Amino acid sequence: MADDLRDGDGTRVVRAGLPAEEPYAPPLPGPALTAHYHLPGDVAGAPYAYGRDANPTWTALERAVAELEAPGDPAATATVFASGMAAISAVLLSRVGPGDAVVLPSDGYNLLASVGERLRGWGVEVRTAPTAGDAQLGVLDGAALLWLETPSNPGLDVCDIRRLADAAHERGALVAVDNTLATPLGQRPLALGADYAVASGTKALTGHGDVLLGYVVCRDEELAEPVRLWRKTVGAIPGPMESWLAHRSLATLELRTARQAANALAVAEALREHPGVSDVRHPGLPDDPAHEAAARQMRRFGCVVSFTLPDKGFAERFLAALRLVGEATSFGGVRSTAERRGRWGGDAVPEGFVRLSVGVEDAADLVADVRAALERATG
Ligand SMILES: *Cc1c(COP(=O)(O)O)cnc(C)c1O
């Protein structure tokens, strides 16, 4: 079903990736649960041969994801993975080799540093710089690949994708953007000059906290082919059931992200009013340090709010006192969740730092819950 650019986001997501209408066929075919396909004779050009290479349920989801990340670009292709980390590793490990230099954010998703360590062990020069202030610009010379994560998780800093992509391309480097936090409705890295849009679909994209998924979208078959071959080689494939659940969830992406962004802003504003709360960050807050850059390149500001409470004990009391916000990691789900990031030890954050993922509940209920929990934590 061809993507029509005249349509708004809400219309496009409910139709994304659906096959052409056929009498008596389901609009979104169910998961193809199969390890192999009937495969007579010559195998050259067979679209489906073995379940580690291809699956029609992936194909439909990949069309949908490509339509959303690169509207109107028939050359764009998506490759779906078992998780966001599988997608991230596929780009970095398939593209970069001994003697190459890569530039990673120093404040990106915490497991990115583990991939960086692996690359170092293979003789790759790994450079890092913070997301804020486009600081990665300063370490680009001679790099083969620039990796951006904007907004960054969990600090919510933003860099200028267009500016960094132009500078990287001038130096012959490829550019990948982790688009997990924004989702393709919030930000389109390929239109801003990136070569790869990469994301964890586990978070806001699928939004129900019941699926792990990742994807890579590129416009160029020369870039896409090694990524697909990597998936087949290491077997980092999503299950057909997860792929189908993900595709089904895309239909509500516009509803969810619109509601979550509005709720996040309301919660961020309420947090700011409390004297015990400092450094409230959300790219949608008009005076947030990241707002100007975010407003230039983002269409929606996402569901994550981060802030700092006076200490670890205060943060733990706050989290325990919340009625509507579950203590959990991950983000982007329909149910609000929060956690003290310091409990993992991986992020450079204060002990009282909380990442709150705002769900689709009623804003007034969430604001009241957050206010009440702050009062109880204050004691
Ligand atoms: C969660 C996350 C990942 C990893 O995704 P998984 O699906 O958990 O493997 C990567 N990048 C960002 C920004 C994330 O938030």
Side-chain angles (χ1 to χ4, degrees):
M1 194 168 288
D3 193 23
D4 192 327
L5 297 178
R6 288 171 307 183
D7 293 331
D9 286 348
T11 307
R12 295 178 58 247
V13 290
V14 299
R15 308 183 81 87
L18 297 187
E21 280 176 26
E22 242 183 85
Y24 321 118
L28 175 63
L33 298 161
T34 188
H36 57 82
Y37 305 85
H38 290 301
L39 188 66
D42 189 0
V43 299
Y48 300 105
Y50 186 56
R52 185 168 19 76
D53 309 343
N55 179 294
T57 313
W58 304 349
T59 306
L61 175 62
E62 287 172 341
R63 282 202 189 110
V65 170
E67 282 177 19
L68 298 180
E69 280 285 357
D73 186 348
T77 55
T79 307
V80 289
F81 285 86
S83 69
M85 282 315 299
I88 290 171
S89 307
V91 173
L92 282 165
L93 303 182
S94 73
R95 195 72 218 180
V96 180
D100 285 339
V102 298
V103 176
L104 305 181
S106 56
D107 50 353
Y109 183 65
N110 57 16
L111 264 178
L112 195 57
S114 303
V115 183
E117 274 316 302
R118 176 72 46 183
L119 289 170
R120 279 199 178 101
W122 290 355
V124 175
E125 183 193 338
V126 179
R127 306 174 190 162
T128 63
T131 300
D134 301 340
Q136 287 169 287
L137 274 178
V139 290
L140 268 183
D141 281 345
L145 183 77
L146 168 64
W147 191 275
L148 306 177
E149 184 180 311
T150 180
S152 60
N153 170 22
L156 302 178
D157 279 319
V158 167
C159 61
D160 185 332
I161 297 174
R162 168 73 64 194
R163 180 176 179 221
L164 282 150
D166 286 350
H169 289 153
E170 269 168 31
R171 292 162 173 84
L174 291 166
V175 179
V177 177
D178 185 327
N179 203 28
T180 301
L181 204 140
T183 84
L185 293 192
Q187 177 169 274
R188 294 176 185 159
L190 298 180
L192 294 164
D195 302 291
Y196 304 90
V198 185
S200 167
T202 312
K203 315 287 172 57
L205 186 82
T206 60
H208 291 69
D210 52 10
V211 164
L212 279 116
L213 191 88
Y215 68 78
V216 178
V217 180
C218 359
R219 276 171 306 201
D220 184 337
E221 187 50 30
E222 243 176 87
L223 298 182
E225 202 277 330
V227 168
R228 220 176 291 128
L229 179 60
W230 182 269
R231 176 178 69 182
K232 171 173 161 170
T233 308
V234 305
I237 57 168
M241 184 56 103
E242 284 74 9
S243 304
W244 178 79
L245 275 171
H247 199 160
R248 180 184 192 269
S249 302
L250 287 183
T252 55
L253 183 62
E254 198 280 334
L255 284 172
R256 287 184 283 109
T257 51
R259 174 73 160 242
Q260 285 172 293
N263 280 359
L265 200 55
V267 167
E269 278 161 357
L271 282 162
R272 274 187 160 179
E273 290 164 9
H274 196 276
V277 183
S278 58
D279 292 320
V280 178
R281 295 293 307 270
H282 176 68
L285 286 168
D287 55 349
D288 187 277
H291 182 72
E292 199 195 320
R296 251 183 283 130
Q297 66 192 13
M298 296 181 76
R299 305 164 69 233
R300 295 151 196 255
F301 297 115
C303 61
V304 182
V305 178
S306 69
F307 53 97
T308 302
L309 297 173
D311 53 41
K312 179 178 165 187
F314 193 111
E316 285 175 345
R317 290 196 300 280
F318 168 74
L319 293 170
L322 288 163
R323 182 175 67 91
L324 301 174
V325 182
E327 193 171 350
T329 196
S330 196
F331 62 83
V334 289
R335 294 170 207 92
S336 295
T337 56
E339 71 170 334
R340 199 178 64 80
R341 282 303 289 181
R343 66 181 176 163
W344 295 100
D347 305 318
V349 293
E351 285 294 334
F353 181 96
V354 174
R355 184 184 67 193
L356 200 162
S357 171
V358 182
V360 300
E361 300 90 347
D362 289 345
D365 295 337
L366 285 177
V367 165
D369 193 33
V370 163
R371 284 193 177 127
L374 284 171
E375 287 322 308
R376 286 189 61 184
T378 309

